[in-house]
Amino acid sequence: MALIVQKFGGTSVGTVERIEQVAEKVKRFHEAGDQIVVVVSAMSGETNRLIGLAKQIMEQPDPRELDVMVSTGEQVTIGLLAMALLKCGVQAVSYTGNQVRILTDSAHTKARIQQIDDARIRAELKAGKVVVVAGFQGVDEQGNITTLGRGGSDTTGVALAAALKADECQIYTDVDGVYTTDPRVVPQAQRLDKITFEEMLEMASLGSKVLQIRSVEFAGKYNVPLRVLHSFQEGPGTLITLDEEESMEQPIISGIAFNRDEAKLTIRGVPDTPGVAFKILGPISAANIEVDMIVQNVAHDNTTDFTFTVHRNDYQSALEILKRTGVEIGARESVGDTKIAKVSIVGVGMRSHAGVASQMFEALAKESINIQMISTSEIKVSVVIEEKYLELAVRALHTAFELDAPARGAE
Ligand code: ADP
Ligand code: ASP
Ligand code: MG
């Protein structure tokens, strides 16, 4: 008998019919003798709808009150799924994050799970029930409702699997696994049988929203066997694993990630003196703004240009701060650009292969796509380009690194 945590995302519980289909699926596992904990998201579109309502009242909604209302999406689906299970003859019971006691810190809208009390869930499982838990939500020490950030139900699923020492955490969604890149952008993308935690973490951090970043961090830290599967189609899905197979066939690049979430800021004509980077970025970090990529040009005429990226939500505040700094340090000008995109190639195979970055730059050059910034780590290369070329760049790289699925009939 296995203990399995199954998480179903928004589209998988998007209608009453789908919820009934999910119940049938869970029933099959339960009847086969497994102990099942199900984690559900809100119905697709519901979290956006709730945030929209809040924004009609406050442009920047109060974070505590926002959590109180956006967490209701998941409370609806746990009740509906538990009913659907009862209707098809499965003993089931639903729990909110507070009822389980998924304890988090108090960082509303982006809270981190600190501890999970597994007593009630274990007792219900022992009594033969399927336990349905609300994703995305928790409670802090003071009893305030918190949420875990967009896509946070993945993290609820993995954290519960870790707390219960489950045999597997299965993430059911609207694609049949993790692909070489978002299949909505590149139809030739291929499903991966396996991907390492390290690669998946890079992919998620660099923009592949198929799994929330924290869920992958949790799974890696507690070694939770994690699989991404299609909710309503049979198939092996993608296993997220620890081992890096040293096979000859291992591709250099496992996947391509991208995002449109960042904006670029440049300060020009900065006197090139020691401490200049600190003078520019100190006030930005003091304002709690995270900086991603950074480039400082070689000094010319004793002045230099300095460019960095931040999340688009922080763009306006970062630009205002930079303009003030520019005046203080006597820079020529401070400018910004929100129409950028970041494209990254990811793969552990890069460690043992030279020339991967230049192969990437060549593929982009062939499409006449200008690279504005570059950053690398051991297993990834990221570039910033003009946003309008994003899809072209991703497709070109997918082909250049031989990730395209073979054309039909050519197999
Ligand atoms: P859910 O609501 O089930 O949590 P999400 O929309 O959060 O589903 O995640 C699934 C979506 O992630 C897919 O529909 C797909 O478009 C997108 N996606 C982005 N990158 C990838 C990738 N590399 N592999 C698979 N799906 C991806
Ligand atoms: N409902 C939440 C969201 O839309 C959490 C989730 O779906 O994982 O972000
Ligand atoms: Mg998701």
Side-chain angles (χ1 to χ4, degrees):
M1 185 173 64
L3 197 169
I4 308 172
V5 175
Q6 303 187 319
K7 178 260 171 176
F8 290 87
T11 40
S12 313
V13 294
T15 61
V16 166
E17 292 71 33
R18 291 228 171 117
I19 290 177
E20 293 196 305
Q21 267 179 281
V22 168
E24 288 294 338
K25 185 176 187 109
V26 172
K27 179 182 178 175
R28 287 196 294 277
F29 278 90
H30 190 242
E31 282 181 346
D34 294 327
Q35 292 189 315
I36 308 292
V37 175
V38 187
V39 173
V40 283
S41 295
M43 294 167 114
S44 54
E46 180 63 4
T47 308
N48 286 345
R49 188 185 74 85
L50 292 167
I51 294 173
L53 287 178
K55 286 194 168 168
Q56 283 179 39
I57 294 187
M58 283 176 115
E59 178 71 38
Q60 299 277 352
D62 178 84
R64 181 187 183 279
E65 305 313 326
L66 186 63
D67 277 353
V68 167
M69 55 100 62
V70 294
S71 60
T72 60
E74 274 73 9
Q75 191 164 335
V76 170
T77 47
I78 54 168
L80 289 174
L81 181 59
M83 285 181 219
L85 285 162
L86 291 170
K87 188 171 128 185
C88 63
V90 178
Q91 288 191 65
V93 60
S94 70
Y95 279 93
T96 63
N98 188 12
Q99 288 172 322
V100 172
R101 202 146 192 261
I102 298 181
L103 183 72
T104 70
D105 61 19
S106 305
H108 285 289
T109 76
K110 46 176 186 274
R112 283 180 176 268
I113 296 178
Q114 293 180 329
Q115 205 192 332
I116 294 182
D117 183 350
D118 62 0
R120 290 180 84 172
I121 296 183
R122 283 201 189 275
E124 299 287 12
L125 288 174
K126 209 166 162 210
K129 291 186 192 167
V130 168
V131 187
V132 185
V133 179
F136 181 54
Q137 53 174 266
V139 64
D140 74 2
E141 285 281 5
Q142 288 74 41
N144 298 301
I145 297 173
T146 55
T147 64
L148 310 177
R150 299 307 305 268
S153 301
D154 296 335
T155 302
T156 307
V158 177
L160 274 171
L164 295 163
K165 301 193 177 55
D167 295 285
E168 187 162 283
C169 180
Q170 302 173 341
I171 305 284
Y172 287 98
T173 182
D174 57 2
V175 271
D176 63 348
V178 177
Y179 275 64
T180 45
T181 192
D182 190 339
R184 286 189 214 183
V185 171
V186 181
Q188 297 84 353
Q190 301 190 66
R191 184 183 57 79
L192 301 163
D193 283 328
K194 281 182 176 183
I195 183 167
T196 67
F197 283 116
E198 206 184 359
E199 288 171 319
M200 193 62 237
L201 194 59
E202 285 282 11
M203 290 280 282
S205 318
L206 296 166
S208 298
K209 292 187 177 122
V210 59
L211 285 175
Q212 201 202 29
I213 305 170
R214 291 214 190 124
S215 71
V216 188
E217 276 171 5
F218 245 103
K221 187 166 167 195
Y222 296 99
N223 203 5
V224 177
L226 183 61
R227 199 182 283 278
V228 177
L229 299 136
H230 196 290
S231 298
F232 305 119
Q233 291 168 13
E234 291 304 314
T238 300
L239 182 69
I240 326 290
T241 101
L242 268 180
D243 58 305
E244 267 176 43
E245 270 176 308
E246 285 300 331
S247 94
M248 290 292 286
E249 268 101 298
Q250 192 185 347
I252 303 170
I253 299 304
S254 297
I256 300 173
F258 51 86
N259 79 45
R260 298 177 172 89
D261 302 338
E262 289 179 34
K264 187 177 80 164
L265 296 115
T266 300
I267 180 162
R268 295 209 178 93
V270 182
D272 188 30
T273 51
V276 71
F278 173 64
K279 276 189 200 140
I280 295 166
L281 294 182
I284 301 280
S285 83
N288 235 336
I289 297 174
E290 256 180 63
V291 171
D292 180 26
M293 290 166 89
I294 304 172
V295 172
Q296 183 180 343
N297 289 356
V298 176
H300 173 71
D301 297 339
N302 292 326
T303 68
T304 182
D305 296 347
F306 194 95
T307 303
F308 58 95
T309 64
V310 298
H311 196 280
R312 272 192 207 180
N313 294 345
D314 294 322
Y315 172 71
Q316 278 308 338
S317 351
L319 189 58
E320 279 163 32
I321 295 170
L322 192 66
K323 287 195 161 156
R324 279 202 299 275
T325 308
V327 173
E328 277 165 31
I329 64 178
R332 194 166 69 247
E333 62 172 352
S334 300
V335 292
D337 184 0
T338 54
K339 294 199 175 55
I340 59 156
K342 184 164 86 173
V343 185
S344 311
I345 55 173
V346 174
V348 289
M350 247 185 245
R351 287 199 181 111
S352 49
H353 285 82
V356 178
S358 64
Q359 203 180 333
M360 178 186 201
F361 305 154
E362 184 188 10
L364 296 173
K366 276 193 188 146
E367 300 294 339
S368 305
I369 299 171
N370 189 36
I371 299 170
Q372 304 179 2
M373 297 173 86
I374 301 168
S375 91
T376 63
S377 79
E378 225 190 344
I379 65 161
K380 71 120 205 271
V381 182
S382 301
V383 296
V384 166
I385 59 171
E386 211 179 320
E387 185 181 5
K388 69 178 181 197
Y389 296 122
L390 176 61
E391 297 189 354
L392 176 64
V394 175
R395 292 201 187 112
L397 292 169
H398 202 267
T399 305
F401 285 101
E402 296 173 5
L403 296 173
D404 291 350
R408 271 176 203 280
E411 282 155 78

